[in-house]
Amino acid sequence: MRDFDEHSITDAVIDRFKDTPDPRLKQVIGSLVHHLHDFVRDVEPTFDEWLAALMFLTRTGQMCSDTRQEFILLSDVFGVSMLVDAINHRQPEGATETTVLGPFFVEGAPVYPNGADIMAKDVPGERVWVEAQITDAAGAPLPGAQVDVWQSDGDGFYDVQRPELTEASLRGRFFSDAAGMVKFWSITPLYYPIPYDGPVGDLLKATKRHPYRPAHLHFMTVAEGYETLVTHVFVQGDPYLDSDAVFGVKTSLIDEFPLQPPGLAPDGRRMEKPWRRLNYRFGLKGAGPQDT
Ligand code: BEZ
Ligand code: FE
């Protein structure tokens, strides 16, 4: 086959992949070629524009390292990460909604007993006492669930973004008690920018988009017989709840963090300054085929 024009070339390319043994790979490539060619026909790029696009993707790859994944960030700001999440997490009634994992989860966070303080070193911020209940979708408590929590500090940085920090801060692993509860002290999170010193930041600047994520605490919960739940709890009243740079906000994940006066906290700690409180239930979806 030869003499392709700007329309016939699409089927010719798809046909060239006809012997792909893996049916899923064949389907994905066929769809990719179809949409990519339609995109080019729609946009009609000049050679300079196409080269600029390829150089942008080149810079995105070059920005990646062991600690920076610029392609995931690109997928995040285009809403693709949340689209993939939505397709893969059609939650049943009673199960908590999911959102992006983000780049700042670290395997092997310190394991803490219930009631611990995850602030390793003094960081600015209002103290918060968190009570999280882990249940199944029907609300029955799940003891022994593994719960990772992580968040940024009062300046908007995660510990892994601070090279001077030698130990984990504002992250930890807990196990739920007999009542399915996990409790800990932390600081009330604040909004912060996603990393924007690379090509994804250039894209945001060129399109007049801000890089901010509304304040949130990350939670990842693992329990045998249930789907792993990756989610956040967002702070009610945050100015970026309706313009999250990565489209991750769901109304059901927003909570009040009500302000408490100085005095005795629930664990007996005497608080000199006002503090906040979060009480949130995480409902896990069963992992069995019947648990739709
Ligand atoms: C985060 O919440 O940590 C995050 C998520 C997506 C992109 C950047 C940061
Ligand atoms: Fe985050």
Side-chain angles (χ1 to χ4, degrees):
M1 289 210 285
R2 58 176 73 164
D3 296 325
F4 307 114
D5 64 20
E6 61 188 81
H7 298 288
S8 64
I9 191 166
T10 302
D11 282 345
V13 174
I14 292 171
D15 186 65
R16 194 66 61 86
F17 287 100
K18 69 178 183 309
D19 295 332
T20 305
D22 181 334
R24 177 66 170 162
L25 179 62
K26 188 172 171 181
Q27 179 202 1
V28 169
I29 289 179
S31 180
L32 178 68
V33 172
H34 175 77
H35 288 283
L36 196 55
H37 283 212
D38 271 355
F39 168 75
V40 172
R41 274 185 289 265
D42 182 29
V43 172
E44 297 194 344
T46 63
F47 278 110
D48 281 351
E49 286 170 337
W50 190 240
L51 184 63
L54 296 177
M55 292 315 291
F56 174 81
L57 292 176
T58 304
R59 286 198 303 281
T60 301
Q62 286 166 340
M63 195 74 197
C64 294
S65 69
D66 286 350
T67 54
R68 177 81 176 251
Q69 229 305 350
E70 197 74 359
F71 272 113
I72 296 183
L73 214 51
L74 188 58
S75 149
D76 294 341
V77 301
F78 274 118
V80 178
S81 304
M82 281 306 294
L83 177 57
V84 174
D85 188 69
I87 289 165
N88 283 279
H89 293 121
R90 296 180 176 124
Q91 299 294 80
E93 184 75 23
T96 298
E97 291 196 279
T98 55
T99 188
V100 277
L101 175 68
F104 301 119
F105 170 71
V106 177
E107 250 325 325
V111 178
Y112 288 111
N114 249 331
D117 193 336
I118 62 170
M119 189 176 76
K121 137 176 167 333
D122 229 16
V123 288
E126 229 167 24
R127 300 316 315 263
V128 63
W129 170 249
V130 178
E131 292 170 325
Q133 190 181 30
I134 315 301
T135 73
D136 66 12
L142 294 178
Q146 174 189 294
V147 183
D148 274 274
V149 301
W150 67 104
Q151 68 169 99
S152 60
D153 63 25
D155 294 327
F157 291 110
Y158 285 79
D159 54 1
V160 288
Q161 295 175 291
R162 291 198 179 274
E164 75 278 10
L165 271 186
T166 50
E167 53 185 330
S169 183
L170 301 177
R171 73 173 68 243
R173 176 169 287 179
F174 294 85
F175 289 89
S176 57
D177 67 14
M181 297 301 297
V182 161
K183 301 176 186 181
F184 60 93
W185 281 104
S186 188
I187 59 166
T188 310
L190 279 178
Y191 59 80
Y192 66 86
I194 63 168
Y196 63 102
D197 56 346
V200 170
D202 295 342
L203 174 73
L204 295 181
K205 281 174 215 145
T207 53
K208 292 264 187 283
R209 280 181 55 184
H210 73 70
Y212 290 98
R213 297 217 64 210
H216 57 272
L217 284 173
H218 290 259
F219 289 86
M220 174 150 70
T221 304
V222 181
E224 210 178 318
Y226 296 86
E227 281 189 6
T228 294
L229 175 67
V230 175
T231 197
H232 310 346
V233 180
F234 293 93
V235 182
Q236 180 67 277
D238 187 283
Y240 294 105
L241 284 171
D242 288 313
S243 64
D244 181 6
V246 304
F247 306 92
V249 179
K250 291 173 177 169
T251 305
S252 68
L253 301 178
I254 303 172
D255 213 338
E256 283 290 341
F257 291 68
L259 194 62
Q260 311 292 314
L264 268 194
D267 67 338
R269 189 188 273 213
R270 181 160 291 284
M271 305 302 290
E272 306 295 335
K273 295 185 183 158
W275 51 288
R276 289 185 186 268
R277 189 166 189 166
L278 170 68
N279 191 304
Y280 197 86
R281 181 186 76 86
F282 295 90
L284 268 57
K285 178 185 179 196
Q290 75 284 4
D291 304 297
T292 50

